[in-house]
Amino acid sequence: MTMTEDTPTTEAPTGEVGRARKRKEDQRLITGRTRWTDNITLPGMLHIAMIRSPFAHARVTAIATAEAKAARNVVAVLTGEDLKEVQGVNANAWPIATDQVTPTHLPMAVDHVACAGEIVACVVARSAAEARDAAELVDVDYDELPAVLDMKEALKDEVLAHPDLGTNKSAFWQLDSKEAGSGDDVDEAIEAARSDGIVIEREFRQQRLIPAFMEPRSVVVDPTGEQITMWSATQIPHILRFLLAATTGVSESKIRVIAPDVGGGFGGKLQTTPEEFVAFAAARRLGKPVKYTETRSESLVSGHHGRDQWQKLTLSARRDGTVTGLKVELLADLGAYVALVGGGVPVLGAWMFNSIYKFPAYRFNVQTILTNKTWVDAYRGAGRPEATFGIERMMDELAAELGRDPLEVREQNWITHEEFPFTTVAGMTYDSGNYEAATARARELFDYDALRAEQQRRREANDPVQLGIGVSTFTEMCGLAPSRVLGSLSYGAGGWEHASIRMLPTGKVEVVTGTSPHGQGHETAWSQIVADRLGVPFEDVEVLHGDTQISHKGLDTYGSRSLVVGGEALVLAADKVIEKARPIAAHLLEASADDLEFSAGRFGVKGTDQGLTMAEIALASFAAHNLPDGVEPGLDSDATYDPVNFSFPHGTHLCAMEVDTETGASRMRSYVCVDDIGVVVNPLIADGQIHGGLVQGIAQALWEGAEYDENGTLVTGSFVDYTLPTAADTISFVTDYTVSPSTTNTLGTKGVGEAGTIASTPAVVNAIVDALRPMGVHDVPMPCTPERVWRAIQSGGSDRQVESSGDAQPHFDPAAPNQDTPETEGGAR
């Protein structure tokens, strides 16, 4: 994949922070010396194969296991009835309403399945192949039930995903700026605009996506020691350990969870999975180590999915383009169960639909829905991409209605850099930002004016290949926190993070972090932060993570929280090391502690050349031959950091798309993004995160989508049908950064892991729609395949969905299409 790797246009760093260090972890990854969960082999280890329901909704009436039990080298065949008292439960950690309807989600179904792919039994054998072969011999009788697959149909409660619950409506949640005291009445703002302004109403479809990580999920459980040890390809070893203990009754002190090298997650491994619980129960029952590794087809059908929303947005504005109100109404498909944080994912968008704009009035509400599909949970960005897509599409619609440049309309309405800190209409306080600087730099790199001129020439020439320019100016909330805020939202965990720093007698440093990386480069970036803080060589820092026996406290990795929360815990722990070393240094140097200066890893006596390095103090502290009275040996220090606020990275993404109006084929011409992620610890890693995020967001716009047939069977159950992009589908991206440091943490960082995904999807769709506006097109449902683009062109001009009391003169045909197609549930409007 050919991409540029432009680094920030800043002065060369004097320390480690800001340096483009190659990743420490890559040496073992690219030389094959890594250890994935599936590489683990234990003495006497058995293998598990799952038997899954082929039906979206059914009662399990009988399971015949005798033939499978008699198969070669089969040790056991286990059903839900066998495990129902010990298997635990897949928990929902974020009930968004006190009256939320939450179906019980057993890891292995006992008598009822609510989606295709649900586990109904498992075979345990001496090899994986023998387990799979024997699984074919298990005969399950089902009484198929009607399935509800369309969330709008599910609202009617005519067909129930869970008949015992009596409804498909899980929970309703609302944020109203007037009720919260953070803004005006949105209904009044919209009504005022109907008589003396502009009101735009649109409905957008966020299609269902699948987190197609590189390494399939895998779990190994060893029950033979003093503890039950689980290795799992997971993002959340600490949370997994807690929930295993909390739901199975096994003491937490008797469970050890290890996340070895993990090949990607994107939220797809932010879950306690049925497979982990089944393997845990099977190992306990048999008293032997077991392994389960999913096939790719199993991953696609039974690993949790992402997105899946209907969005109805109403935006009001004055005739001069100043926004006055925004109303957001969401339907969110949870699938068959309310996953770990699945119910709360759409709620995260509540604070982001208003984005960088100064809306005086705002209301957000979401109704979560149960259907007979795979359950939905966090996928890279988790609620923020959905919100950014909605508002950035609406700002383009406003600009089009006004006949003005979309960047100009955004600038008119965004928060200026002089106004920070700024409390938004949703009640969130943005601490820092400079949207003007990021946009100016992106515009320059993109050559915006030249591309607009080329676009005009193509339109005047009636070129069959039209040029569209897409804009996305975004912000996001990173670093899921603070704990008190999460508690007020009924979130089941806190937002803090823990770190330990061990100063070894040789002067080397061990860092133990509660974050659990799965491709982000923590070992490198954390080494850079600690090396700078303690003044030790980068090479002398070792980072340990992902093992609850070594890292005994932590809340793991998701939501772009690792650097802004976990990194700050490192800083606090390092500062404690320095303060522990200070009285020892003073004693050894026969000086007052107040006369010491610490710089570049050395305590020096002011005005002299006397001093001691941190390594020398570490050895003296270890030997303990000459310590001050009352000072304990050792410099090791721990710290736990609970943020006071989220962090708010932002940026401007510009995309140029060429659209063949005769065939519907789209081709990306150029893509420029300028992100403000605060202080950049490692620009090489930051570029990698941006590039990966861009591809995922672009893939939603152009290629990816999980589709079910009328029976609830996933028809995109392999990479033949679920179309992930390859290197041949992408172009070189131009990336750059502006820096407005966060004011709420010591490092000034903001987070980068989800930025590219959040910003890129609306940039691409806005570009395609911009190319087709002269033909009356104002939306194309995602993914914007050639067929869908062609259909949009053919139906252009049938439905406008905009009200205006003014005389705005758009530069395009004001009509817009009704996008109903057989491919969508009613189509995006």
Side-chain angles (χ1 to χ4, degrees), residues 796-809:
S798 62
D799 181 19
R800 190 171 180 217
Q801 284 189 294
V802 63
E803 302 174 35
S804 175
S805 64
D807 299 314
Q809 298 296 321

Side-chain angles (χ1 to χ4, degrees), residues 364-629:
F364 168 98
N365 65 57
V366 57
Q367 176 69 60
T368 57
I369 303 293
L370 297 166
T371 64
N372 294 116
K373 296 180 180 179
T374 300
W375 49 93
V376 171
D377 209 325
Y379 174 61
R380 197 172 190 171
R384 282 78 51 82
E386 297 93 314
T388 299
F389 180 86
I391 187 58
E392 288 304 289
R393 288 288 295 110
M394 290 299 280
M395 293 305 290
D396 255 35
E397 293 300 295
L398 175 60
E401 173 63 16
L402 294 168
R404 291 172 56 188
D405 185 277
L407 276 177
E408 180 185 293
V409 172
R410 285 169 168 81
E411 184 175 9
Q412 177 180 341
N413 288 286
W414 69 37
I415 305 158
T416 63
H417 70 275
E418 297 94 346
E419 295 177 284
F420 288 98
F422 185 92
T423 300
T424 72
V425 71
M428 194 71 72
T429 300
Y430 299 171
D431 64 315
S432 68
N434 192 328
Y435 310 135
E436 302 97 309
T439 302
R441 180 61 176 155
R443 185 172 183 140
E444 173 190 357
L445 292 171
F446 191 66
D447 205 357
Y448 187 86
D449 293 338
L451 283 170
R452 282 292 184 199
E454 180 185 343
Q455 179 187 56
Q456 187 61 32
R457 289 194 299 272
R458 289 196 184 197
R459 287 181 174 177
E460 291 172 353
N462 200 26
D463 192 324
V465 179
Q466 287 290 304
L467 178 65
I469 297 171
V471 176
S472 176
T473 52
F474 83 105
T475 189
E476 58 160 320
M477 47 192 277
C478 285
L480 199 60
S483 295
R484 288 184 180 180
V485 171
L486 297 178
S488 71
L489 295 171
S490 301
Y491 185 75
W496 53 266
E497 194 47 81
H498 183 77
S500 301
I501 294 182
R502 303 170 182 165
M503 289 298 304
L504 304 180
T506 56
K508 311 298 184 182
V509 181
E510 285 182 343
V511 173
V512 182
T513 176
T515 66
S516 188
H518 40 281
Q520 292 89 343
H522 292 184
E523 293 176 31
T524 304
W526 280 206
S527 295
Q528 290 178 270
I529 292 169
V530 172
D532 266 3
R533 208 73 182 182
L534 296 181
V536 298
F538 168 80
E539 294 77 12
D540 287 354
V541 183
E542 188 77 18
V543 179
L544 309 176
H545 57 78
D547 182 341
T548 61
Q549 190 105 311
I550 295 171
S551 170
H552 67 286
K553 289 174 65 175
L555 285 174
D556 306 318
T557 291
Y558 41 85
S560 300
R561 70 182 301 273
S562 293
L563 178 58
V564 295
V565 186
E568 198 66 15
L570 289 177
V571 170
L572 294 178
D575 288 349
K576 286 184 179 181
V577 169
I578 294 167
E579 290 313 305
K580 275 190 173 183
R582 187 178 297 277
I584 299 173
H587 178 76
L588 295 174
L589 291 168
E590 299 180 345
S592 168
D594 294 337
D595 290 335
L596 296 186
E597 295 176 317
F598 181 75
S599 177
R602 182 178 183 272
F603 281 99
V605 180
K606 296 176 184 177
T608 75
D609 59 0
Q610 297 181 63
L612 291 170
T613 66
M614 185 63 78
E616 291 172 317
I617 300 167
L619 181 59
S621 177
F622 168 76
H625 295 161
N626 185 19
L627 297 181
D629 292 341

